Every structure is written in structure tokens, then in C-alpha cells.
Amino acid sequence: MSSKRTGIITKEELVEKKLLPSMERLSNGPIAILECPEEIPCNICVSACPFNAISKSRIYEVPRLNPDKCIGCGVCVGKCPGLAIFVVDLSKPGKAYVTLPYEMLPSPSKGARVELLDREGRVIGEGTVVKAWVYEKTWVVTVEVPGDLWFDVRAVRIVR
């Protein structure tokens, strides 16, 4: 079933739309994943990227990422109004780092324990915040997660 019916994008759709970086590139260090399959008039990510790694030839096209230019800085994560951009780093054996937008309370902080949530909001594990910063009113949070959950974790809930 497509994301147009469920609102939840699948790995197959990301591969089909060429929005998922190669495993080789994911293993080489942080890189953005643009989970934006809709052809909508938005290009904030294009103008936000300080390395010109994101492009669109027309405003209604799906954004494209140049994996050779992206360093996974996360600026696009905080700028995307659709909360549809994540940064994944698989360069450390057995663990992954997922950087995602966070617009809930309490505010995140380094060392905080979090529940890891999938695209449907289900708890799929626990992780630790390793970095948190605010970019224009949106928290951008990097969490350390088990390596096999890198594709599934797309939100967090702070454990109180």
C-alpha cells in the first residue's frame, strides 16, 4: 500500500523514488535521507543546504540529494516544514545515529533516555540523545540507536 493511502512511506517507495542513499554511502558517515515523495511546491530544503547537496529543477519536483556533497550537517532537518528529512550515520559498527526533528516537550538534552518510535508512533526500543540543538524553533536531535533500527526510528519520546 502506498504512502498516499497510509501516510506512511515504506522502504520500497523510497528506493523506487530514488530517495534512499546506497548502503555504501550510509556506512561512510552521516547523510540526509529526504523522505519527501510528494511533488509539492516547496524548496526550503534546497535553499537551506549550505553545501548545495539538495536540488530541484522545478518547484513541483521531488527533491534530490547529491550524496557526494552531503555531509549530514542536519540544517535541512530543522528547516523542513514537513518534518520529512532525517540524517542517518551507520559508520560505527553495531549502532546507528539518527538525527530527526523534535517539536514536543520537554526539551531534549544530551544524555536523555528516549523511547524510539517508528513511523506509526509505535515504541520499538530505547535510545540515548547524543546531541540536541535548536534550529529556528525546531529541535534537531541525534539519538544513538541499535544498528538494525536505523531505518525504522523516525521519532522519539523523552523518558521522564
Side-chain angles (χ1 to χ4, degrees):
M1 197 172 293
S2 80
S3 60
K4 287 190 178 197
R5 297 187 120 199
T6 65
I8 300 166
I9 196 162
T10 64
K11 188 180 244 179
E12 292 76 24
E13 285 179 278
L14 289 171
V15 170
E16 178 184 318
K17 293 187 179 279
K18 300 179 180 169
L19 293 172
L20 196 60
S22 70
M23 285 305 295
E24 179 183 2
R25 178 57 186 90
L26 285 161
S27 298
N28 286 338
I31 185 168
I33 297 178
L34 311 175
E35 295 194 7
C36 183
E38 297 297 324
E39 296 174 353
I40 56 175
C42 179
N43 68 351
I44 292 172
C45 57
V46 173
S47 56
C49 180
F51 301 98
N52 297 315
I54 304 172
S55 64
K56 280 182 144 185
S57 56
R58 293 186 333 206
I59 189 104
Y60 283 97
E61 289 187 344
V62 171
R64 297 290 170 202
L65 180 76
N66 182 330
D68 297 328
K69 290 183 176 181
C70 180
I71 66 163
C73 67
V75 169
C76 54
V77 174
K79 291 289 282 190
C80 176
L83 308 178
I85 302 179
F86 307 88
V87 171
V88 172
D89 181 356
L90 301 179
S91 64
K92 306 285 190 266
K95 55 182 141 181
Y97 296 92
V98 178
T99 301
L100 45 89
Y102 183 84
E103 295 186 331
M104 305 295 283
L105 292 173
S107 299
S109 60
K110 184 177 179 180
R113 297 291 303 159
V114 293
E115 290 179 325
L116 306 172
L117 309 175
D118 69 8
R119 289 172 178 79
E120 296 181 51
R122 296 180 298 215
V123 176
I124 57 173
E126 283 198 4
T128 304
V129 173
V130 296
K131 189 175 179 183
W133 71 99
V134 175
Y135 195 84
E136 295 183 7
K137 300 181 183 179
T138 297
W139 280 96
V140 178
V141 178
T142 300
V143 292
E144 182 179 300
V145 308
D148 61 337
L149 295 180
W150 71 269
F151 182 76
D152 300 315
V153 174
R154 285 302 177 265
V156 296
R157 180 172 36 227
I158 295 174
V159 176
R160 295 180 189 213

